[in-house]
Amino acid sequence: MTEQTTDTRPAAPTPRRSWLRDHSELGVCVLLLALGVLVLTDALTMDVDIAQRGPVGPRTVPVVVGCGLLLVAVLLAVDVLRGGRGQAETGEDVDLSEPADWRTVLLLAGVFLGAAVLIEPLGFPLAGALLFWGAAFALGSRRTDRDPLVAAVLSLITYALFNNLLGVPLPGGPLMGAL
């Protein structure tokens, strides 16, 4: 009787596929490069005639951020091509064997979308309170006695800081006269 061996190992990947898999971080480089080009394009085509009052204008920060994104993309690409690899997740609070919690992700996305839709008719104080309360609920807080109050206080403080101290006008909605 002859002995037969069956090889159950998967077939070796093709050289091209293996190279792409080994250098998958280059996808992040492409994303950073595209984002940097987008930011720089928007910054350099911005109309700033009425807002320019000195050497530092509204284009300064976007240009710095865009150049930073391009620099990071190039440095990361060089590191990856030289053999650098990102480290695997080792956080003790992350269990990689568990599936993603899509319910929480979808609840948070709905809360953000709802706040974006409601900010104009309700104003920032009310839409922000709903945003903070909804986010707390989506992330697991079930304190219905405390959460709405904390959300309202956070929203009012945020509105006051941006509107009054920083000079960034936020829609006040029906509360505009009261605040």
Side-chain angles (χ1 to χ4, degrees), residues 86-96:
Q87 291 183 354
E89 176 64 51
T90 59
E92 52 190 64
D93 61 340
V94 176
D95 186 3
L96 296 177

Side-chain angles (χ1 to χ4, degrees), residues 1 4 29 47 64-65 96 117 126-127 135 153:
M1 183 178 233
Q4 288 183 340
C29 299
D47 183 27
V64 169
V65 168
L96 296 177
V117 169
L126 292 176
V153 169

Side-chain angles (χ1 to χ4, degrees), residues 119-120 122-125 159 169-173 176:
I119 196 167
E120 196 61 43
L122 294 182
F124 183 83
Y159 177 79
L170 295 175
M176 183 61 95

Side-chain angles (χ1 to χ4, degrees), residues 16-156:
R16 180 172 169 79
R17 182 170 167 90
S18 176
W19 189 90
L20 287 175
R21 182 170 287 166
D22 290 343
H23 297 89
S24 61
E25 290 93 345
L26 290 175
V28 175
C29 299
V30 170
L31 180 69
L32 290 173
L33 187 71
L35 194 58
V37 168
L38 176 69
V39 169
L40 281 175
T41 302
D42 280 351
L44 296 176
T45 59
M46 182 186 307
D47 183 27
V48 295
D49 293 337
I50 60 171
Q52 186 75 33
R53 296 195 177 187
V56 177
R59 284 186 182 163
T60 305
V61 171
V63 167
V64 169
V65 168
C67 290
L69 286 167
L70 293 178
L71 179 66
V72 168
V74 169
L75 292 175
L76 181 61
V78 168
D79 180 53
V80 169
L81 292 174
R82 286 185 175 175
R85 304 261 323 162
Q87 291 183 354
E89 176 64 51
T90 59
E92 52 190 64
D93 61 340
V94 176
D95 186 3
L96 296 177
S97 65
E98 290 292 318
D101 185 7
W102 289 108
R103 179 183 179 274
T104 301
V105 171
L106 292 174
L107 278 173
L108 281 173
V111 166
F112 283 119
L113 181 63
V117 169
L118 295 174
I119 196 167
E120 196 61 43
L122 294 182
F124 183 83
L126 292 176
L130 290 173
L131 171 69
F132 291 134
W133 188 13
F137 180 83
L139 293 172
S141 179
R142 299 296 184 258
R143 296 284 309 264
T144 57
D145 58 334
R146 178 191 64 186
D147 291 347
L149 180 63
V150 170
V153 169
L154 279 174
S155 182
L156 288 172

